[in-house]
Amino acid sequence: MTVTIVGSQLGDEGKGALVDLWGGGADVVARYQGGDNAGHTVVEDGDEYKLSLVPSGAVRDKIGVLGNGCVINLKTLFSEIDDLRERGLTPDVRVARRAHVIMPYHRVLDGIEEDAKSDSDLEAGTTGRGIGPTYEDKVGRRGVRVGDLLDPSVLRDRLEYVVPQKRALAENIFGVDTSEAFDVESLFSEYRQLGKRLTEEDMTVNAGEFLNEHLNHDSTILFEGAQGTSIDIDHGIYPYVTSSNPTAGGAATGTGISPTVIGQGEVVGIIKAYLSRVGTGPLPTELTGTDEALADHIREKGGEFGTVTGRPRRIGWLDIPMLRHATRSNGFTGLVINHIDVLAGLDEVCVGHSYDLNGEEQFTIPATTERWAECEPNLRSFDPWDSVAWSDVATEGYEAIPANAQQYLEYLTNELDTPIYAIGVGPDRAETIELVNPFDIDA
Ligand code: IMP
């Protein structure tokens, strides 16, 4: 049995709380894409854990796996593991030997390239973690994989091939002085050490084999997507996207579990009741101009500042064409609607029900970002709901949700033709109303 958790929008939908809630029913929690660009905040009994790479399930004593589709910054990994240990936890994290390693030169090049793009408005507003350059090298067949760190001669061969190219790129194309991030010897000694720690702590696995073995022994796996559908490299708003596949198909290619197995399980789309966006690119339902004060209010109330970078997030009304696209491309079996508490107390709540594109009504997101930028949202207005004691609502259940908020939820489930499994009414795991636990559904 598998449950795959996917972001339906632009990331930051509050996936961490659900992974944490349902991760309790799983034996293994696996990430299938992305790296330390993901910011997952898990709140447990008032204790907050901010993780960017370690799967959230590790906070709850589950085996955490970083699949082959991830890109791994080993310094972040060890620092998060060490922090969790200092706080009294015993995280069990396994890393795919096929996963690619984010090297120091990838982070430097991420910054250099974003700077170079800024003149032409093409910068994606990346998290600066070297994610894109690492995936570029993976696809260019010049990457360094976790397995390479375990074998000194392979590691040396890889570095001797790739590092001079990276140095030439930085110096000759971008005109930037290079540092030891581009020096074969210092990289070799540092990454060999990291490889030795991986071996000493017995952390590396053949992910597909490891996970399949667990499934064969009736274990349950929760696949934890990072980022969201609209910043998927294939299905997102290219080029303002991340470089991996947060969509459900990525769970198969990014772990080595077959799509048929994943398709027999549950695929749950996490939706925030409004939009937030770190990074650049168009956003048809964005609250700007005369709506700026409203955006400020939602940003403050929802704590909409990047978990990884601290940047204030852009705010918009819920974008239903974006969600229709996400529901189709992921095949959601259930939905979670988060943060309805943040919209309480407004004068009116709107959604972008469809778009107007050159006089024609569009119900889904166009395939090119340029057309998307031309879309004007057709807003649909909902009666507002008051602020209530949300922790009481969480205890009392669905019927305690204000009636107007229930109408908003019913509109969503009908438009997307998918049942709601849970509703988030606050940041703590306990502030989630669970209607269906996907692990309780028989395949
Ligand atoms: P990168 O993943 O750092 O290369 O950034 C590419 C784009 O994805 C930028 O617009 C980032 O702001 C966005 N992004 C990356 N990770 C996240 C995330 O976890 N939440 C929201 N946006 C993200």
Side-chain angles (χ1 to χ4, degrees):
M1 168 67 176
T2 69
V3 172
T4 305
I5 301 282
V6 179
S8 305
Q9 295 151 312
L10 297 143
D12 309 317
E13 299 91 351
K15 296 178 286 294
L18 277 304
V19 170
D20 189 36
L21 178 71
W22 289 329
D27 301 296
V28 181
V29 177
R31 279 192 55 183
Y32 53 88
Q33 44 73 232
D36 56 343
N37 50 348
H40 280 183
T41 307
V42 179
V43 183
E44 167 97 343
D45 289 337
D47 279 336
E48 198 173 84
Y49 299 91
K50 283 191 184 298
L51 300 171
S52 61
L53 186 58
V54 166
S56 314
V59 171
R60 301 196 68 203
D61 276 349
K62 306 292 161 186
I63 301 174
V65 175
L66 293 168
N68 54 277
C70 295
V71 286
I72 317 283
N73 183 328
L74 285 160
K75 292 181 212 167
T76 308
L77 178 67
F78 287 132
S79 122
E80 288 186 358
I81 289 176
D82 291 344
D83 277 357
L84 291 174
R85 283 182 183 156
E86 268 168 36
R87 293 176 71 177
L89 303 179
T90 46
D92 179 356
V93 181
R94 313 299 175 98
V95 188
R97 286 192 277 274
R98 285 188 166 92
H100 281 247
V101 180
I102 301 180
M103 301 297 287
Y105 49 82
H106 290 130
R107 283 180 70 124
V108 177
L109 286 166
D110 196 351
I112 295 176
E113 208 179 329
E114 281 281 283
D115 271 356
K117 281 177 168 175
S118 61
D119 292 342
S120 54
D121 263 359
L122 278 175
E123 84 243 59
T126 72
T127 59
R129 297 295 191 268
I131 306 295
T134 308
Y135 279 113
E136 267 181 56
D137 280 353
K138 169 179 177 172
V139 177
R141 298 175 293 238
R142 65 181 98 80
V144 176
R145 303 203 296 176
V146 166
D148 302 339
L149 306 185
L150 313 181
D151 183 330
S153 67
V154 175
L155 177 60
R156 184 169 284 285
D157 283 352
R158 295 277 186 272
L159 293 174
E160 280 177 357
Y161 174 74
V162 74
V163 174
Q165 292 182 19
K166 297 294 158 187
R167 201 168 45 236
L169 178 66
E171 288 175 353
N172 303 341
I173 306 290
F174 292 111
V176 172
D177 285 339
T178 53
S179 58
E180 58 183 22
F182 294 79
D183 179 72
V184 173
E185 283 315 319
S186 81
L187 289 169
F188 177 79
S189 71
E190 187 176 12
Y191 279 79
R192 234 339 256 150
Q193 279 314 110
L194 292 167
K196 282 184 186 159
R197 181 166 171 188
L198 286 170
T199 307
E200 279 158 20
E201 301 200 15
D202 195 19
M203 285 173 66
T204 68
V205 290
N206 178 342
E209 203 174 79
F210 181 82
L211 292 169
N212 270 296
E213 192 68 14
H214 274 271
L215 284 178
N216 290 339
H217 287 89
D218 286 334
S219 290
T220 47
I221 300 180
L222 187 140
F223 292 109
E224 172 179 2
Q227 291 86 41
T229 303
S230 281
I231 53 172
D232 182 288
I233 186 79
D234 287 283
H235 304 288
I237 48 172
Y238 192 90
Y240 307 104
V241 290
T242 193
S243 301
S244 64
N245 289 119
T247 42
T253 49
T255 63
I257 295 286
S258 80
T260 46
V261 170
I262 289 175
Q264 281 160 16
E266 289 285 314
V267 179
V268 185
I270 315 298
I271 296 173
K272 182 185 279 185
Y274 52 91
L275 276 194
S276 73
R277 165 73 163 138
V278 285
T280 47
L283 201 60
T285 59
E286 184 166 16
L287 291 166
T288 51
T290 53
D291 287 327
E292 223 141 81
L294 179 56
D296 289 345
H297 167 81
I298 295 175
R299 182 179 303 113
E300 287 300 323
K301 194 165 172 193
E304 295 294 350
F305 297 89
T307 320
V308 175
T309 60
R311 290 179 289 182
R313 296 180 184 143
R314 299 157 67 194
I315 304 293
W317 292 126
L318 199 57
D319 185 319
I320 308 298
M322 181 187 281
L323 294 178
R324 291 191 190 100
H325 173 70
T327 305
R328 172 177 27 77
S329 49
N330 291 293
F332 292 145
T333 54
L335 304 173
V336 175
I337 319 293
N338 273 330
H339 290 348
I340 59 163
D341 54 308
V342 175
L343 295 183
L346 302 183
D347 294 334
E348 140 183 77
V349 174
C350 292
V351 301
H353 174 76
S354 60
Y355 301 137
D356 183 280
L357 179 61
N358 303 324
E360 276 194 28
E361 191 172 15
Q362 303 279 327
F363 289 91
T364 187
I365 213 161
T368 69
T369 305
E370 291 67 29
R371 290 291 81 70
W372 194 47
E374 292 165 13
C375 287
E376 288 293 332
N378 295 315
L379 295 181
R380 185 171 287 198
S381 167
F382 288 79
D383 289 336
W385 50 92
D386 289 335
S387 256
V388 291
W390 291 104
S391 43
D392 293 347
V393 171
T395 319
E396 288 161 33
Y398 190 85
E399 292 310 319
I401 294 175
N404 289 344
Q406 286 189 21
Q407 281 195 2
Y408 191 74
L409 297 170
E410 276 153 30
Y411 161 82
L412 282 176
T413 191
N414 289 337
E415 277 306 313
L416 304 176
D417 197 16
T418 310
I420 295 177
Y421 284 1
I423 300 137
V425 297
D428 200 292
R429 182 157 63 90
E431 291 167 311
T432 306
I433 299 172
E434 184 189 83
L435 304 177
V436 176
N437 180 333
F439 278 113
D440 291 342
I441 296 174
D442 283 334

